[in-house]
Structures are given as structure tokens and as C-alpha cells.
Amino acid sequence: MWSLFRSVGILILTANIGAAQSVVAPTGTLRVAYLASNPAHATPDPSTGTPRGPVIDLSREFARRLGVQVATNGMSSPQTVIDAVEKGQADIGFVAYNPERAGPVEFSQPYSLVQQTFLVRADSPIRSVADIDRNQKIGAGRGDSIALYLARNLKQAQLIELTETPATAVQMVLDGKLDAFGANRQRLTDLMRNLSGLRLLPDDLYGVEQTIIVPKGRPEVLRMVNQFIDDVRQSGFLRESIQRSGVIGVAVAPPVAGR
């Protein structure tokens, strides 16, 4: 009798996994898009050069639970991640939530918070984020979360949205063409390495909510992704992945109340 029950249980489990595979990863491979330039997503392994980090760990774990292979693809901008998911070129994507990005995709609950701050010249009168919104020029990468946030919230300072490389933005700060340049804390820490005459503000503007996006109108996929985030947060998997990455200024996002 136990053998019969066990066989039935395996069949039910297999059927559930098979249904999840067809819904989330219909090609048999979980195709994942993420932002290659965001160290909170992934960074190159110093030994092999292959990407590693929270996004890679989460993608592999989600694929393992679905019983499929995984293919991760680092994209050039948040919009390209959104486009890949919207057009069916990726099954899920990792991107920060911003109200301006809502519409073509569905956003999960946040899984992590990435702190944003500013880089200034060493002799700058800007001492904290409270000094940012004054009559001065503040730079941020066009389309980046912090640029969208500053566009909504700055009252006195002028936002300069940059399409140049971050290294060029740093040189603009050194040359006095920008009073500050904003990005996530790890990215700014990397940019100022081996450079003198710069200072990182000690406090943070806000924590950007990192989420997983799925195609619009796929509530069953969104439900599975949200359950997955709940599971990896509760088990400690997510916290351990963030700690293992060594990225500065990233924390596990708290559960969403009432979800």
C-alpha cells in the first residue's frame, strides 16, 4: 500500500514540476536577462571571468526547482532587460523597480535593496546626501534608477543624465563639470579605486528595490516567482548569496506586508 501511495505522490510531484516548466520555461531552458553592468546582479569571477553573484545563484536555484537548464544573459541597460522579457527573448529578468518602467512587464516583490549614494571631489562642500538638492549639477546615468528617482525628487539641483561611460562621469566630477555623480555604492567604490581627489558620501540616498520581471498578463508565473523569493529569503539562501558576492551596500529586502 505504501508503495502505491509513494508512486502516486511521485506522479503528482512530476506533474506539478512539468506544469511549472511549461508555464515558466516553455523551451526547456530558463532564459534569464540581467543588467551586466550592475555589480549587485553579477560580477566576473576573478579566476575564471565567468559571471557570479546573487542573480546567477537565484537563476540556477529557480531552474533547479523547475527541473530545467538555465541560460543567463547580461544586458546593456535596464530597458534592454525589459525588452527581452516583453518580446519573449527571456522568460524572466532581473531589474530594479521604478514606476516609470511599469507597463510592458510585471514586477515581483523586491528581493534585495541596493543603496545609492554620490561621488564628489575631495574638496567639495557636499558632505552628505542632504546637501545634494542645491543649486548645482548632479550627474547620473540616463535610465538608471537613481536618475529616475532624482528626476522625480530634485527641486533645486539640475539633473544631468549621462550617456557617457561612468569613467567619463567621474572625470567630469574631477574637472568640476559635475558637482556629484550618483550610482550604487559598489559601482562608485569601484570607479574611484586607484584615483585620488575623490570622496564617497558616507550616507545613502535610498535603497533601490531589485525585482524579477515576467511577461505582462502571466499571473501564474508572477505567483511562482514571488513564492520562490519568499522561500529563498526565509531559508537564508538569498542572504548567503549576497554575503558570498562581497558586494557593498546590498541587503535582503524585507517581506512585503499583506502580500
Side-chain angles (χ1 to χ4, degrees):
M1 183 63 71
W2 166 248
S3 176
L4 176 60
F5 284 148
R6 183 174 182 275
S7 298
V8 171
I10 291 173
L11 286 172
I12 293 172
L13 178 60
T14 303
N16 288 339
I17 292 175
Q21 289 174 355
S22 64
V23 169
V24 181
T27 65
T29 297
L30 181 66
R31 300 168 302 161
V32 179
Y34 69 95
L35 188 56
S37 62
N38 189 344
H41 284 189
T43 55
D45 185 287
S47 301
T48 65
T50 57
R52 67 172 188 179
V55 161
I56 306 302
D57 292 344
L58 290 172
S59 299
R60 289 173 177 168
E61 178 63 12
F62 194 30
R64 184 190 69 79
R65 296 185 184 200
L66 292 171
V68 297
Q69 298 297 310
V70 63
T72 55
N73 187 10
M75 312 293 279
S76 61
S77 70
Q79 190 58 53
T80 57
V81 175
I82 292 171
D83 290 344
V85 173
E86 181 187 11
K87 295 175 182 178
Q89 298 163 351
D91 301 307
I92 63 172
F94 288 79
V95 71
Y97 171 76
N98 282 283
E100 296 86 347
R101 294 173 181 166
V105 293
E106 303 275 4
F107 288 82
S108 74
Q109 64 171 307
Y111 67 87
S112 74
L113 300 176
V114 179
Q115 299 301 329
Q116 310 290 301
T117 190
F118 297 90
L119 199 62
V120 299
R121 278 173 48 139
D123 59 357
S124 170
I126 299 173
R127 312 306 300 182
S128 76
V129 296
D131 301 326
I132 288 296
D133 195 8
R134 296 178 180 175
N135 186 23
Q136 53 199 359
K137 294 181 179 180
I138 308 300
R142 178 168 294 172
D144 284 356
S145 293
I146 192 169
L148 299 175
Y149 180 93
L150 291 171
R152 292 194 304 269
N153 292 283
L154 287 179
K155 299 295 188 294
Q156 299 180 55
Q158 178 186 0
L159 172 63
I160 308 296
E161 294 192 71
L162 303 169
T163 57
E164 294 86 352
T165 66
T168 300
V170 171
Q171 189 60 49
M172 292 174 71
V173 173
L174 286 169
D175 293 342
K177 297 177 181 178
L178 289 175
D179 295 290
F181 176 67
N184 73 53
R185 185 166 286 278
Q186 179 66 61
R187 186 178 293 176
L188 294 177
T189 299
D190 292 340
L191 285 171
M192 66 184 296
R193 189 170 289 129
N194 301 322
L195 291 176
S196 59
L198 294 167
R199 175 165 47 82
L200 197 60
L201 297 188
D203 53 351
D204 299 305
L205 181 65
Y206 79 118
V208 173
E209 297 180 335
Q210 301 298 310
T211 66
I212 300 175
I213 57 172
V214 304
K216 189 77 172 179
R218 301 293 297 278
E220 69 281 15
V221 179
L222 186 61
R223 187 164 51 249
M224 282 187 273
V225 166
N226 278 325
Q227 182 60 59
F228 171 68
I229 293 172
D230 283 338
D231 290 347
V232 294
R233 177 168 42 224
Q234 185 173 1
S235 69
F237 180 95
L238 178 55
R239 174 180 51 79
E240 291 171 2
S241 175
I242 291 172
Q243 289 177 344
R244 191 164 54 247
S245 75
V247 177
I248 299 168
V250 181
V252 175
V256 178
R259 189 185 61 78

